[in-house]
Amino acid sequence: MIYAQYIRHSASLGRPRLHSTFPAVVGCEQPSARLALLLVLCLFSLCSLAQQIGKPLPKWKEGGLDIHHINTGQGSATLLVFPDGTTLLVDAGAINSRDWRTNKPRNIPTKPSNERQAGEWIARYVQKALAHQTSPAIDYALISHFHDDHMGTPLNVAKQSSAGYTLAGITEVGELIPIRKIIDRGWPDYSYPTPMTADSMVSNYRRFLQWQQQHKGMAIERFRAGSNDQLVLLKSKKYPFEVRNIAVNGEMWTGSGNQTTPLFPPLSSLKSADFPNENMCSAVFQIRYGKFDYFSGGDLQGVIRFGAPAWHDVETPIAQVVGPVAVQLVDHHGYPDSQNGTLLTRLQPRVMVVPSWASSHPGKDVLERMFSEEYYKGPRDVFMTNLLPEAKTAIADLLPRLQSEGGHVVIRVEKGGKKYQIMVLDDTAESFRVKAVYGPY
Protein backbone atom coordinates (compact mmCIF):
# COMPACT_ATOMS: atom_id res chain seq x y z
CA MET A 1 0.00 0.00 0.00
CA ILE A 2 2.81 2.38 0.93
CA TYR A 3 4.60 1.57 -2.31
CA ALA A 4 1.44 2.13 -4.35
CA GLN A 5 1.10 5.55 -2.73
CA TYR A 6 4.72 6.27 -3.62
CA ILE A 7 4.09 5.37 -7.27
CA ARG A 8 1.09 7.69 -7.47
CA HIS A 9 3.01 10.49 -5.74
CA SER A 10 5.95 9.99 -8.09
CA ALA A 11 3.72 10.30 -11.14
CA SER A 12 2.15 13.48 -9.81
CA LEU A 13 5.60 15.06 -9.43
CA GLY A 14 6.73 14.09 -12.91
CA ARG A 15 9.12 11.42 -11.67
CA PRO A 16 9.91 8.58 -14.05
CA ARG A 17 7.25 5.91 -13.84
CA LEU A 18 8.07 2.25 -13.57
CA HIS A 19 7.11 0.69 -16.84
CA SER A 20 7.47 -2.41 -18.96
CA THR A 21 6.84 -3.10 -22.61
CA PHE A 22 5.14 -6.41 -23.26
CA PRO A 23 4.63 -8.19 -26.61
CA ALA A 24 1.18 -9.01 -27.90
CA VAL A 25 -0.14 -12.24 -26.37
CA VAL A 26 -1.72 -14.88 -28.58
CA GLY A 27 -5.26 -15.78 -27.53
CA CYS A 28 -6.00 -12.38 -26.01
CA GLU A 29 -7.88 -10.78 -28.87
CA GLN A 30 -10.42 -9.17 -26.56
CA PRO A 31 -9.26 -5.71 -25.43
CA SER A 32 -10.45 -6.37 -21.87
CA ALA A 33 -8.43 -9.59 -21.69
CA ARG A 34 -5.30 -7.91 -23.03
CA LEU A 35 -5.74 -5.05 -20.57
CA ALA A 36 -6.18 -7.45 -17.66
CA LEU A 37 -3.05 -9.38 -18.61
CA LEU A 38 -1.01 -6.22 -19.02
CA LEU A 39 -2.23 -5.03 -15.62
CA VAL A 40 -1.20 -8.30 -13.97
CA LEU A 41 2.23 -8.23 -15.59
CA CYS A 42 2.72 -4.57 -14.70
CA LEU A 43 1.74 -5.18 -11.08
CA PHE A 44 4.17 -8.09 -10.95
CA SER A 45 6.93 -5.78 -12.21
CA LEU A 46 6.07 -3.13 -9.61
CA CYS A 47 5.95 -5.68 -6.80
CA SER A 48 9.36 -7.02 -7.77
CA LEU A 49 10.83 -3.54 -7.47
CA ALA A 50 8.87 -2.83 -4.29
CA GLN A 51 10.57 -5.81 -2.67
CA GLN A 52 13.83 -3.80 -2.67
CA ILE A 53 12.38 -1.16 -0.34
CA GLY A 54 13.30 -1.87 3.27
CA LYS A 55 15.89 -4.47 2.29
CA PRO A 56 19.67 -4.17 1.86
CA LEU A 57 20.97 -2.91 -1.47
CA PRO A 58 21.62 -5.91 -3.73
CA LYS A 59 25.29 -6.52 -4.50
CA TRP A 60 26.92 -5.03 -7.60
CA LYS A 61 26.90 -7.35 -10.61
CA GLU A 62 29.46 -7.45 -13.40
CA GLY A 63 28.46 -5.23 -16.31
CA GLY A 64 26.71 -2.71 -14.07
CA LEU A 65 28.02 0.71 -13.09
CA ASP A 66 27.41 1.73 -9.47
CA ILE A 67 27.95 5.29 -8.21
CA HIS A 68 27.61 5.67 -4.43
CA HIS A 69 27.33 9.20 -3.06
CA ILE A 70 28.30 8.45 0.53
CA ASN A 71 26.88 10.65 3.26
CA THR A 72 28.88 11.11 6.45
CA GLY A 73 27.67 14.66 7.03
CA GLN A 74 31.31 15.78 6.90
CA GLY A 75 31.95 16.41 3.21
CA SER A 76 32.07 14.66 -0.16
CA ALA A 77 32.88 11.02 -0.88
CA THR A 78 31.83 9.08 -3.97
CA LEU A 79 32.58 5.42 -4.66
CA LEU A 80 32.30 4.15 -8.22
CA VAL A 81 32.35 0.51 -9.27
CA PHE A 82 33.02 0.29 -13.00
CA PRO A 83 31.37 -2.36 -15.21
CA ASP A 84 34.37 -4.69 -14.93
CA GLY A 85 34.74 -4.24 -11.15
CA THR A 86 37.48 -1.58 -11.20
CA THR A 87 36.95 0.80 -8.26
CA LEU A 88 37.36 4.56 -7.90
CA LEU A 89 36.92 6.66 -4.76
CA VAL A 90 36.49 10.37 -5.47
CA ASP A 91 37.26 12.45 -2.37
CA ALA A 92 36.99 11.55 1.30
CA GLY A 93 35.88 14.65 3.16
CA ALA A 94 36.35 15.19 6.89
CA ILE A 95 35.72 18.80 7.83
CA ASN A 96 37.40 20.71 10.63
CA SER A 97 35.28 20.37 13.76
CA ARG A 98 35.69 24.13 14.23
CA ASP A 99 34.58 26.76 11.73
CA TRP A 100 37.70 28.46 10.35
CA ARG A 101 35.84 31.76 10.04
CA THR A 102 34.66 31.99 13.66
CA ASN A 103 36.74 29.31 15.43
CA LYS A 104 33.50 28.07 16.97
CA PRO A 105 32.41 24.41 16.99
CA ARG A 106 30.45 23.41 13.89
CA ASN A 107 28.26 20.93 15.78
CA ILE A 108 27.44 19.05 12.57
CA PRO A 109 26.72 15.39 13.47
CA THR A 110 28.70 12.67 11.73
CA LYS A 111 26.60 10.02 9.98
CA PRO A 112 25.73 7.39 10.99
CA SER A 113 27.05 8.47 14.41
CA ASN A 114 29.82 10.36 16.17
CA GLU A 115 31.26 7.04 17.35
CA ARG A 116 33.78 7.08 14.50
CA GLN A 117 35.42 9.68 12.29
CA ALA A 118 34.22 10.31 8.76
CA GLY A 119 37.23 8.59 7.17
CA GLU A 120 36.55 5.37 9.04
CA TRP A 121 32.86 5.44 8.13
CA ILE A 122 33.81 5.91 4.47
CA ALA A 123 36.23 2.97 4.60
CA ARG A 124 33.61 0.74 6.23
CA TYR A 125 31.04 1.75 3.60
CA VAL A 126 33.52 0.94 0.81
CA GLN A 127 34.29 -2.46 2.33
CA LYS A 128 30.59 -3.29 2.49
CA ALA A 129 29.89 -2.03 -1.04
CA LEU A 130 32.78 -4.17 -2.32
CA ALA A 131 31.68 -7.31 -0.48
CA HIS A 132 31.73 -9.11 -3.83
CA GLN A 133 35.55 -8.86 -3.69
CA THR A 134 37.55 -11.40 -1.70
CA SER A 135 39.84 -8.65 -0.41
CA PRO A 136 38.20 -5.24 -0.97
CA ALA A 137 40.57 -2.60 -2.33
CA ILE A 138 40.38 0.79 -4.03
CA ASP A 139 42.05 0.75 -7.45
CA TYR A 140 42.00 4.54 -7.86
CA ALA A 141 41.45 7.38 -5.41
CA LEU A 142 41.00 10.85 -6.86
CA ILE A 143 41.26 13.98 -4.73
CA SER A 144 39.37 16.64 -6.68
CA HIS A 145 41.03 19.54 -4.81
CA PHE A 146 42.65 20.37 -1.51
CA HIS A 147 39.84 21.36 0.85
CA ASP A 148 38.96 19.57 4.07
CA ASP A 149 35.46 18.60 2.94
CA HIS A 150 37.08 16.71 0.06
CA MET A 151 40.24 15.24 1.62
CA GLY A 152 40.13 15.68 5.41
CA THR A 153 42.05 17.99 7.73
CA PRO A 154 44.44 17.10 10.58
CA LEU A 155 43.35 20.15 12.59
CA ASN A 156 41.66 19.29 15.90
CA VAL A 157 42.13 15.56 15.26
CA ALA A 158 43.90 13.39 17.83
CA LYS A 159 43.94 10.09 15.92
CA GLN A 160 47.46 9.36 14.64
CA SER A 161 49.09 6.78 12.43
CA SER A 162 52.13 4.93 13.68
CA ALA A 163 53.85 6.33 10.59
CA GLY A 164 53.56 9.90 11.90
CA TYR A 165 50.62 11.39 10.02
CA THR A 166 47.19 12.32 11.32
CA LEU A 167 44.26 10.08 10.34
CA ALA A 168 41.52 12.18 8.79
CA GLY A 169 39.63 11.79 5.54
CA ILE A 170 41.67 10.11 2.81
CA THR A 171 44.59 9.33 5.13
CA GLU A 172 42.23 7.40 7.41
CA VAL A 173 40.60 5.59 4.49
CA GLY A 174 44.05 4.56 3.27
CA GLU A 175 44.92 3.25 6.72
CA LEU A 176 41.92 0.89 6.68
CA ILE A 177 41.61 -0.26 3.08
CA PRO A 178 44.33 -0.61 0.41
CA ILE A 179 44.54 2.18 -2.18
CA ARG A 180 46.55 1.14 -5.23
CA LYS A 181 46.82 4.54 -6.93
CA ILE A 182 46.08 8.11 -5.86
CA ILE A 183 45.55 10.88 -8.38
CA ASP A 184 45.38 14.56 -7.48
CA ARG A 185 45.96 18.00 -8.98
CA GLY A 186 49.29 18.74 -7.27
CA TRP A 187 51.68 15.80 -7.50
CA PRO A 188 54.66 15.89 -7.25
CA ASP A 189 55.55 19.47 -6.27
CA TYR A 190 52.20 20.84 -5.01
CA SER A 191 53.06 24.36 -6.12
CA TYR A 192 50.18 25.59 -8.31
CA PRO A 193 49.19 28.38 -8.20
CA THR A 194 51.46 28.93 -5.16
CA PRO A 195 53.58 26.54 -3.04
CA MET A 196 51.51 24.64 -0.46
CA THR A 197 54.33 24.03 2.01
CA ALA A 198 52.60 25.99 4.77
CA ASP A 199 49.28 24.15 4.38
CA SER A 200 48.98 21.67 7.28
CA MET A 201 46.37 19.64 5.42
CA VAL A 202 48.50 19.16 2.30
CA SER A 203 51.64 18.55 4.41
CA ASN A 204 49.89 15.79 6.35
CA TYR A 205 48.58 14.30 3.12
CA ARG A 206 52.07 14.31 1.59
CA ARG A 207 53.48 12.45 4.61
CA PHE A 208 50.77 9.86 4.07
CA LEU A 209 51.64 9.57 0.36
CA GLN A 210 55.34 9.20 1.03
CA TRP A 211 54.82 6.43 3.59
CA GLN A 212 52.27 4.58 1.45
CA GLN A 213 54.52 4.81 -1.61
CA GLN A 214 57.56 3.50 0.26
CA HIS A 215 55.89 0.78 2.32
CA LYS A 216 52.77 -0.24 0.39
CA GLY A 217 53.78 0.43 -3.20
CA MET A 218 51.07 3.00 -3.79
CA ALA A 219 51.31 4.73 -7.18
CA ILE A 220 50.75 8.50 -7.34
CA GLU A 221 49.96 10.62 -10.38
CA ARG A 222 48.87 14.11 -11.29
CA PHE A 223 45.43 14.37 -12.91
CA ARG A 224 45.92 14.98 -16.65
CA ALA A 225 43.37 17.22 -18.37
CA GLY A 226 42.19 15.86 -21.72
CA SER A 227 43.17 12.27 -20.96
CA ASN A 228 40.86 9.32 -21.43
CA ASP A 229 43.48 6.73 -20.49
CA GLN A 230 44.28 7.64 -16.88
CA LEU A 231 41.16 6.17 -15.23
CA VAL A 232 40.48 2.99 -17.17
CA LEU A 233 38.93 -0.43 -16.87
CA LEU A 234 41.61 -2.67 -15.37
CA LYS A 235 39.96 -6.09 -15.62
CA SER A 236 38.13 -6.08 -18.96
CA LYS A 237 37.99 -3.79 -21.99
CA LYS A 238 34.78 -5.21 -23.45
CA TYR A 239 32.41 -2.53 -22.14
CA PRO A 240 31.58 0.78 -23.93
CA PHE A 241 32.97 2.78 -21.02
CA GLU A 242 35.18 5.87 -20.77
CA VAL A 243 36.34 8.35 -18.16
CA ARG A 244 37.34 11.63 -19.78
CA ASN A 245 39.40 14.09 -17.74
CA ILE A 246 37.82 17.44 -18.61
CA ALA A 247 39.84 20.03 -16.70
CA VAL A 248 42.26 20.76 -13.86
CA ASN A 249 44.48 23.68 -12.82
CA GLY A 250 43.14 25.87 -15.62
CA GLU A 251 43.81 23.37 -18.42
CA MET A 252 40.68 22.19 -20.25
CA TRP A 253 40.02 19.51 -22.83
CA THR A 254 39.15 21.04 -26.22
CA GLY A 255 36.75 18.26 -27.19
CA SER A 256 39.18 16.95 -29.83
CA GLY A 257 41.54 14.04 -29.20
CA ASN A 258 43.43 14.62 -25.97
CA GLN A 259 44.19 18.26 -26.72
CA THR A 260 43.81 20.95 -24.08
CA THR A 261 43.57 24.73 -23.96
CA PRO A 262 44.37 27.14 -21.10
CA LEU A 263 41.50 28.67 -19.14
CA PHE A 264 43.60 30.97 -16.95
CA PRO A 265 46.07 33.70 -17.95
CA PRO A 266 49.77 33.11 -17.14
CA LEU A 267 50.33 33.64 -13.42
CA SER A 268 53.15 36.05 -14.24
CA SER A 269 50.58 38.44 -15.72
CA LEU A 270 48.34 38.47 -12.64
CA LYS A 271 48.22 40.15 -9.28
CA SER A 272 48.30 37.60 -6.48
CA ALA A 273 44.78 38.70 -5.47
CA ASP A 274 43.53 37.53 -8.87
CA PHE A 275 45.19 34.11 -8.79
CA PRO A 276 42.80 31.20 -9.34
CA ASN A 277 41.39 29.89 -6.07
CA GLU A 278 41.40 26.26 -5.01
CA ASN A 279 37.87 25.56 -6.23
CA MET A 280 38.67 26.83 -9.72
CA CYS A 281 41.50 24.30 -9.94
CA SER A 282 39.24 21.30 -9.26
CA ALA A 283 39.76 18.06 -11.19
CA VAL A 284 36.73 17.64 -13.46
CA PHE A 285 35.71 14.47 -15.27
CA GLN A 286 32.88 12.91 -17.25
CA ILE A 287 31.91 9.24 -17.43
CA ARG A 288 30.26 7.68 -20.45
CA TYR A 289 28.80 4.20 -20.40
CA GLY A 290 26.67 3.42 -23.41
CA LYS A 291 23.90 6.05 -23.39
CA PHE A 292 24.61 7.07 -19.79
CA ASP A 293 26.68 10.16 -18.91
CA TYR A 294 27.80 11.40 -15.49
CA PHE A 295 29.52 14.73 -14.75
CA SER A 296 31.59 15.54 -11.67
CA GLY A 297 32.98 19.08 -11.39
CA GLY A 298 34.36 19.22 -7.86
CA ASP A 299 33.84 22.73 -6.49
CA LEU A 300 33.78 24.63 -9.77
CA GLN A 301 32.36 28.15 -9.68
CA GLY A 302 30.37 29.95 -12.37
CA VAL A 303 28.66 32.85 -10.59
CA ILE A 304 31.44 35.29 -9.79
CA ARG A 305 31.59 38.23 -7.39
CA PHE A 306 31.26 41.76 -8.71
CA GLY A 307 34.59 43.05 -9.99
CA ALA A 308 36.19 39.60 -10.38
CA PRO A 309 37.89 38.79 -13.70
CA ALA A 310 35.54 37.13 -16.19
CA TRP A 311 37.81 34.06 -16.43
CA HIS A 312 36.99 33.26 -12.77
CA ASP A 313 33.78 31.80 -14.23
CA VAL A 314 35.06 28.30 -14.95
CA GLU A 315 31.71 26.59 -15.44
CA THR A 316 30.84 28.40 -18.69
CA PRO A 317 33.83 27.26 -20.82
CA ILE A 318 33.76 23.75 -19.38
CA ALA A 319 30.06 23.42 -20.19
CA GLN A 320 30.86 23.94 -23.87
CA VAL A 321 32.80 20.68 -24.14
CA VAL A 322 30.59 18.52 -21.94
CA GLY A 323 27.08 18.65 -23.41
CA PRO A 324 23.95 16.88 -22.09
CA VAL A 325 24.34 14.35 -19.27
CA ALA A 326 22.03 11.97 -17.45
CA VAL A 327 23.37 12.74 -13.98
CA GLN A 328 25.34 15.64 -12.54
CA LEU A 329 27.07 15.78 -9.18
CA VAL A 330 26.19 19.41 -8.48
CA ASP A 331 29.16 21.81 -8.46
CA HIS A 332 30.37 23.18 -5.12
CA HIS A 333 27.56 21.51 -3.13
CA GLY A 334 25.07 23.96 -4.65
CA TYR A 335 26.79 26.93 -3.01
CA PRO A 336 25.64 30.34 -4.35
CA ASP A 337 28.60 30.65 -6.74
CA SER A 338 27.73 27.48 -8.67
CA GLN A 339 25.35 26.06 -11.28
CA ASN A 340 25.16 29.03 -13.61
CA GLY A 341 22.64 29.23 -16.43
CA THR A 342 25.08 28.30 -19.19
CA LEU A 343 26.12 25.13 -17.39
CA LEU A 344 22.51 24.07 -16.86
CA THR A 345 21.56 24.87 -20.45
CA ARG A 346 24.39 22.76 -21.80
CA LEU A 347 24.27 19.83 -19.36
CA GLN A 348 20.48 19.53 -19.03
CA PRO A 349 20.84 16.90 -16.31
CA ARG A 350 17.91 14.57 -15.76
CA VAL A 351 19.17 13.91 -12.23
CA MET A 352 21.19 16.18 -9.95
CA VAL A 353 22.83 14.99 -6.73
CA VAL A 354 23.81 17.65 -4.17
CA PRO A 355 26.54 16.50 -1.73
CA SER A 356 25.20 18.82 0.96
CA TRP A 357 26.63 19.13 4.45
CA ALA A 358 26.45 22.85 5.43
CA SER A 359 23.60 25.26 6.09
CA SER A 360 24.45 27.03 2.81
CA HIS A 361 23.97 23.84 0.77
CA PRO A 362 22.19 24.52 -1.47
CA GLY A 363 21.64 28.25 -1.97
CA LYS A 364 18.00 29.05 -2.69
CA ASP A 365 18.90 30.95 -5.87
CA VAL A 366 20.90 27.96 -7.04
CA LEU A 367 18.06 25.52 -6.42
CA GLU A 368 15.64 27.82 -8.22
CA ARG A 369 17.97 27.82 -11.24
CA MET A 370 18.23 24.05 -11.12
CA PHE A 371 14.44 23.70 -11.25
CA SER A 372 13.84 26.51 -13.74
CA GLU A 373 12.70 25.60 -17.25
CA GLU A 374 14.18 28.89 -18.42
CA TYR A 375 17.45 26.98 -18.94
CA TYR A 376 16.10 23.70 -20.27
CA LYS A 377 12.75 22.00 -20.63
CA GLY A 378 11.62 18.75 -19.16
CA PRO A 379 11.59 16.98 -15.80
CA ARG A 380 14.55 16.84 -13.47
CA ASP A 381 15.01 15.12 -10.11
CA VAL A 382 17.16 16.55 -7.31
CA PHE A 383 18.59 14.48 -4.47
CA MET A 384 20.26 15.84 -1.31
CA THR A 385 22.62 13.76 0.77
CA ASN A 386 22.44 15.73 4.03
CA LEU A 387 20.08 18.71 4.16
CA LEU A 388 20.57 20.57 7.45
CA PRO A 389 17.65 22.18 9.35
CA GLU A 390 18.89 25.70 8.56
CA ALA A 391 19.01 24.85 4.86
CA LYS A 392 15.48 23.43 5.01
CA THR A 393 14.24 26.72 6.45
CA ALA A 394 15.98 28.72 3.71
CA ILE A 395 14.48 26.64 0.87
CA ALA A 396 11.18 25.73 2.58
CA ASP A 397 8.96 26.44 -0.43
CA LEU A 398 11.12 24.19 -2.64
CA LEU A 399 11.29 21.20 -0.27
CA PRO A 400 8.30 19.40 -1.86
CA ARG A 401 10.17 19.29 -5.16
CA LEU A 402 13.15 17.36 -3.75
CA GLN A 403 13.30 13.59 -4.14
CA SER A 404 15.37 13.14 -0.98
CA GLU A 405 16.63 15.28 1.88
CA GLY A 406 19.20 12.84 3.22
CA GLY A 407 20.81 9.46 2.75
CA HIS A 408 23.39 7.73 0.59
CA VAL A 409 22.37 8.28 -3.04
CA VAL A 410 23.26 5.31 -5.24
CA ILE A 411 23.02 5.37 -9.03
CA ARG A 412 22.83 1.88 -10.48
CA VAL A 413 23.32 1.72 -14.25
CA GLU A 414 22.30 -1.49 -15.99
CA LYS A 415 24.69 -3.49 -18.13
CA GLY A 416 25.35 -1.63 -21.38
CA GLY A 417 24.29 1.74 -19.98
CA LYS A 418 20.77 1.95 -21.44
CA LYS A 419 18.86 2.50 -18.19
CA TYR A 420 19.56 3.39 -14.59
CA GLN A 421 17.85 3.66 -11.22
CA ILE A 422 18.41 5.83 -8.17
CA MET A 423 18.29 4.21 -4.74
CA VAL A 424 18.40 6.21 -1.51
CA LEU A 425 19.93 4.28 1.39
CA ASP A 426 19.49 4.76 5.11
CA ASP A 427 22.46 6.72 6.52
CA THR A 428 21.59 6.24 10.21
CA ALA A 429 23.12 2.74 10.30
CA GLU A 430 25.37 0.50 8.21
CA SER A 431 22.50 -1.64 7.00
CA PHE A 432 22.54 -0.46 3.35
CA ARG A 433 18.74 -0.47 3.74
CA VAL A 434 16.96 0.92 0.69
CA LYS A 435 14.60 3.75 1.64
CA ALA A 436 13.36 4.66 -1.82
CA VAL A 437 13.80 3.66 -5.46
CA TYR A 438 13.39 5.98 -8.45
CA GLY A 439 13.29 5.04 -12.09
CA PRO A 440 14.07 3.32 -14.30
CA TYR A 441 15.27 6.36 -16.22
Side-chain angles (χ1 to χ4, degrees):
M1 182 65 176
I2 293 174
Y3 190 71
Q5 290 173 346
Y6 161 73
I7 294 297
R8 289 196 296 271
H9 182 55
S10 295
S12 70
L13 291 178
R15 296 173 185 166
R17 300 187 182 195
L18 302 168
H19 63 279
S20 298
T21 301
F22 302 103
V25 181
V26 177
C28 290
E29 286 82 4
Q30 295 298 322
S32 58
R34 289 199 300 270
L35 181 61
L37 180 58
L38 287 172
L39 181 60
V40 169
L41 292 173
C42 189
L43 287 172
F44 177 79
S45 176
L46 294 179
C47 288
S48 297
L49 189 55
Q51 289 174 4
Q52 298 179 42
I53 307 236
K55 294 188 176 182
L57 177 75
K59 290 183 180 180
W60 168 88
K61 293 182 179 179
E62 184 174 354
L65 166 63
D66 278 5
I67 306 175
H68 298 253
H69 301 93
I70 304 169
N71 179 38
T72 65
Q74 304 295 304
S76 294
T78 306
L79 172 70
L80 298 94
V81 185
F82 295 172
D84 70 335
T86 299
T87 55
L88 165 64
L89 178 67
V90 182
D91 294 333
I95 59 175
N96 191 338
S97 59
R98 303 187 75 85
D99 190 320
W100 63 271
R101 300 173 184 85
T102 64
N103 200 34
K104 294 180 179 179
R106 290 187 188 271
N107 296 321
I108 299 176
T110 301
K111 296 289 187 73
S113 77
N114 291 325
E115 178 186 357
R116 308 176 195 277
Q117 295 186 155
E120 185 174 354
W121 285 126
I122 293 168
R124 291 168 67 93
Y125 185 105
V126 170
Q127 289 167 337
K128 191 174 182 70
L130 302 184
H132 58 276
Q133 294 185 358
T134 305
S135 300
I138 297 168
D139 293 309
Y140 302 105
L142 169 63
I143 304 300
S144 65
H145 63 292
F146 303 130
H147 278 161
D148 61 352
D149 59 331
H150 291 262
M151 65 182 293
T153 177
L155 298 178
N156 301 304
V157 176
K159 201 172 180 181
Q160 297 289 314
S161 163
S162 59
Y165 50 83
T166 302
L167 297 176
I170 190 63
T171 63
E172 188 168 24
V173 173
E175 190 83 355
L176 298 171
I177 185 169
I179 300 175
R180 296 184 174 128
K181 179 182 287 187
I182 280 192
I183 301 170
D184 63 39
R185 75 168 197 83
W187 174 265
D189 55 341
Y190 298 89
S191 62
Y192 185 87
T194 58
M196 304 178 200
T197 51
D199 188 318
S200 62
M201 184 165 52
V202 174
S203 296
N204 184 67
Y205 168 67
R206 294 182 73 176
R207 288 194 293 272
F208 160 76
L209 293 182
Q210 183 178 21
W211 191 90
Q212 289 283 333
Q213 187 180 42
Q214 292 177 355
H215 295 86
K216 299 292 185 179
M218 176 190 285
I220 312 165
E221 292 180 2
R222 178 180 287 210
F223 189 83
R224 301 192 305 270
S227 171
N228 65 346
D229 60 4
Q230 188 170 33
L231 294 164
V232 298
L233 300 177
L234 297 174
K235 302 172 184 179
S236 174
K237 306 296 184 184
K238 65 182 181 180
Y239 299 103
F241 179 87
E242 177 187 83
V243 181
R244 172 70 68 175
N245 296 356
I246 301 294
V248 70
N249 294 342
E251 286 292 320
M252 183 187 76
W253 180 48
T254 63
S256 175
N258 291 337
Q259 298 175 17
T260 62
T261 187
L263 289 176
F264 306 157
L267 295 180
S268 59
S269 68
L270 300 174
K271 300 175 183 177
S272 59
D274 288 335
F275 276 13
N277 62 42
E278 186 62 33
N279 292 338
M280 295 166 62
C281 296
S282 291
V284 180
F285 66 90
Q286 181 178 9
I287 287 176
R288 288 179 175 166
Y289 183 32
K291 295 181 178 179
F292 176 83
D293 293 86
Y294 173 86
F295 177 80
S296 176
D299 277 3
L300 289 182
Q301 64 184 40
V303 181
I304 58 177
R305 62 176 174 80
F306 179 77
W311 58 268
H312 278 206
D313 168 9
V314 187
E315 286 183 334
T316 294
I318 286 177
Q320 305 306 318
V321 298
V322 176
V325 299
V327 179
Q328 182 200 5
L329 180 62
V330 167
D331 291 347
H332 201 188
H333 317 273
Y335 192 72
D337 65 359
S338 68
Q339 297 294 113
N340 73 21
T342 301
L343 183 84
L344 288 166
T345 300
R346 288 288 298 177
L347 267 60
Q348 303 182 24
R350 179 64 181 82
V351 170
M352 288 173 270
V353 179
V354 183
S356 48
W357 60 263
S359 59
S360 55
H361 302 162
K364 186 175 182 181
D365 288 351
V366 176
L367 194 56
E368 287 174 342
R369 281 198 298 275
M370 288 162 57
F371 280 124
S372 174
E373 292 203 359
E374 177 184 347
Y375 302 107
Y376 67 101
K377 303 295 183 182
R380 72 283 316 263
D381 293 345
V382 178
F383 296 81
M384 303 285 168
T385 58
N386 196 57
L387 198 60
L388 295 185
E390 300 89 341
K392 291 182 183 180
T393 300
I395 63 170
D397 57 329
L398 295 170
L399 285 177
R401 302 188 67 178
L402 300 177
Q403 311 308 97
S404 75
E405 297 180 7
H408 310 298
V409 179
V410 180
I411 299 165
R412 175 154 285 180
V413 186
E414 71 173 27
K415 186 175 182 179
K418 290 183 180 179
K419 296 179 182 178
Y420 61 99
Q421 290 183 324
I422 310 290
M423 301 177 189
V424 181
L425 309 186
D426 179 18
D427 60 8
T428 64
E430 295 183 284
S431 63
F432 267 41
R433 180 178 67 86
V434 177
K435 297 197 302 180
V437 178
Y438 300 84
Y441 298 82

